[in-house]
Amino acid sequence: MAATKSNGQPQLLFVDGSFEELAREMADYLKAEEAKQLLTKEDAPKEEVLSKLVAASQALNTVAEKEYTAASNLMIHLVLQSADPKKYLPTLCSTFSKPLANSPVHGQSLSLNALTTVFNLLEQEDPIRARVFREILKFLKAHSMFDNLRPYLDKLPEWMESWGCDEEIERKLYEEVAEAALEGGDEDICYEFILKALRTFDADEKDEITSEDAQRLSLRAIRMAILSNSHFLFQDIRAIPSVQALSDSHPIFSQLLNIFAEQDLEDYNDFNEEHEGWVEKQKLDHEKMHRKMRLLTFASLAAATPSREIEYSKIVKALQIPAEDIEMWAIDVIRAGLVEGKLSQQRNMFLVHKVTYRVFGQKQYQELSTRVDHWRTTLQNVLGVLRQEQSNAKSQKEREIQDLERKMNNAGMGGGPRRQQQQQRERTDNDD
């Protein structure tokens, strides 16, 4: 689905001939009698001919597999000769969206190729491309072919800018990509594009961020965020104005989001007691959320421990689990990417190497300040020990030098008088 920009009239390779010649060939192939009758007249109106050909284009879905690509390319080429192709493209795209009946194996791929050919032959700045792209999205969703779209997702913002899409069209496109991703089994991309759709609402317009569409998408995003098995940080969704507006219209959902963003398991349990039956009524998965809150609580416990050593008893209390399950939850929180560390069975400690902060506000700055103070004290103690050891080493070296000098003096290497007197007596005794 590479974006291309043609110069002048768009052309297909191997399509050659005048409009009348090609239209007559197409009319014969489709058995479009009304178009054939028009073409018998001299100077037959091009737009009327195209109208008849497009109306008969449904016959393309019944042609032989080996002829489909050539026939669909010719039909696309003819439509693009119109002064106003957008009149015919919706019908043509609808025809291409129906897989070839005579090709159960390759029919979907052939249809997708026809749709992408339309997309690629339009000028890059042509707004009609947005409508064709939406048809492609619908086709990919209907046939679980989302993988074909993945390589082009990063180009979508650039394309929409070149098409001059307004916020409403952008929102629809983002939401349709999210639907196709969800159908393709990729919840992470679905969630990402739901957030993109939410950001198209004007934050300065209260009517927009509190509209029915904004609230619908915001609630959907919250559900996806708290139930996701891979999404553990919530600052991105909490920063979106339409989500913030739920604090007035849907305060319980807003409260639940805040619990997952920065509170602990005990707060979640209190929430369930306060709103008994609400989770079940909203068809939320309590077991999944309860497990997720335990993982998030483990991360908060690790982040709030300046010594980076968590006693088993604290883990048991915070996660409300039996002691024998500590290892299992430690493995799970490491797999989730929230904490890095290891268990010390001998010391009954979990040793934290690295932790992901769920939020970073005043409380976290205070915790970081406390940890920095702890590190400063530790480093000062280490520095004191190093300086003491340095002083001890210097004193030891001085003592060793003094001992060496004494030994050298005692050995006569320093000119001592006692040794000289002894040597003189030995010479006198030898003379006698």
Side-chain angles (χ1 to χ4, degrees), residues 114-129:
L115 287 169
T116 53
T117 297
V118 176
F119 181 84
N120 290 333
L121 286 177
L122 291 169
E123 293 281 352
Q124 185 169 340
E125 296 82 4
D126 195 333
I128 305 175
R129 271 186 138 208

Side-chain angles (χ1 to χ4, degrees), residues 201-217:
F201 291 104
D202 190 343
D204 296 327
E205 294 291 336
K206 187 175 180 180
D207 289 344
E208 277 201 29
I209 62 175
T210 59
S211 66
E212 184 177 345
D213 268 355
Q215 293 192 16
R216 174 182 59 82
L217 282 174

Side-chain angles (χ1 to χ4, degrees), residues 79-92:
V79 166
L80 292 180
Q81 308 310 303
S82 168
D84 190 15
K86 68 175 180 289
K87 291 191 301 184
Y88 311 108
L89 285 177
T91 301
L92 194 61

Side-chain angles (χ1 to χ4, degrees), residues 26 84 134 144 152 171 228 261 297 385 401 416:
M26 193 79 250
D84 190 15
R134 293 183 68 182
S144 300
Y152 307 100
R171 189 178 312 126
S228 169
T297 299
V385 171
I401 292 174

